[in-house]
Amino acid sequence: MTRPVPIRKKPVAKTTSETSPERSAQMARVRGRDTKPEMRVRRALHAAGLRYRLQPRDCPGVRT
């Protein structure tokens, strides 16, 4: 007779209502734009003579 396979629960992220100073400092460093890799690409494109707009008005999904 085989034994049943135990069901493993997924780990749950622990959250608290108070934020530790370390976590706050870490989250302050997180950026969604103008990151170092993005700026390197933008500088290289600009140096190559390519010009563009970051948020063109005629781009789908952009509010006017």
Side-chain angles (χ1 to χ4, degrees):
M1 195 177 255
T2 60
R3 296 189 316 186
V5 178
I7 298 173
R8 295 184 184 182
K9 294 182 179 180
K10 293 182 181 180
V12 178
K14 295 180 182 179
T15 59
T16 61
S17 59
E18 296 181 21
T19 305
S20 69
E22 296 85 16
R23 181 68 172 163
S24 180
Q26 179 185 12
M27 292 304 291
R29 289 190 300 266
V30 175
R31 299 187 300 175
R33 63 203 284 186
D34 297 337
T35 60
K36 286 183 182 180
E38 180 184 356
M39 294 305 294
R40 286 180 184 157
V41 170
R42 286 166 50 185
R43 285 187 187 109
L45 291 173
H46 191 271
L50 297 173
R51 302 296 186 258
Y52 58 93
R53 293 180 187 269
L54 291 177
Q55 297 177 343
R57 295 288 180 195
D58 60 348
C59 184
V62 176
R63 294 182 183 177
T64 55

